[in-house]
Amino acid sequence: MVQAKKIAVYIVVVFILWTIIKTPDRAADLVGVGFEGISSAAQGVGEFMTELVN
């Protein structure tokens, strides 16, 4: 089981590196989308906590 996890992580890392090298513009877009998602999630948590306190 541990071996399968190591292989899966290795495949994901290789895919990410290949994407960055092969299409850097697309990789930058994906990073931007990821940060937007994180920002939206943090904003949602903040709004939830604000409503919880009120």
Side-chain angles (χ1 to χ4, degrees):
M1 185 66 181
V2 175
Q3 201 66 354
K5 186 176 180 180
K6 286 182 183 180
I7 292 171
V9 169
Y10 178 74
I11 290 171
V12 168
V13 169
V14 168
F15 176 73
I16 290 170
L17 290 174
W18 178 79
T19 302
I20 291 171
I21 292 168
K22 193 74 173 165
T23 56
D25 293 334
R26 176 77 174 130
D29 290 341
L30 292 175
V31 170
V33 168
F35 280 125
E36 285 179 22
I38 292 170
S39 175
S40 296
Q43 185 178 8
V45 169
E47 290 174 3
F48 172 74
M49 292 304 226
T50 301
E51 290 298 319
L52 190 64
V53 171
N54 292 333

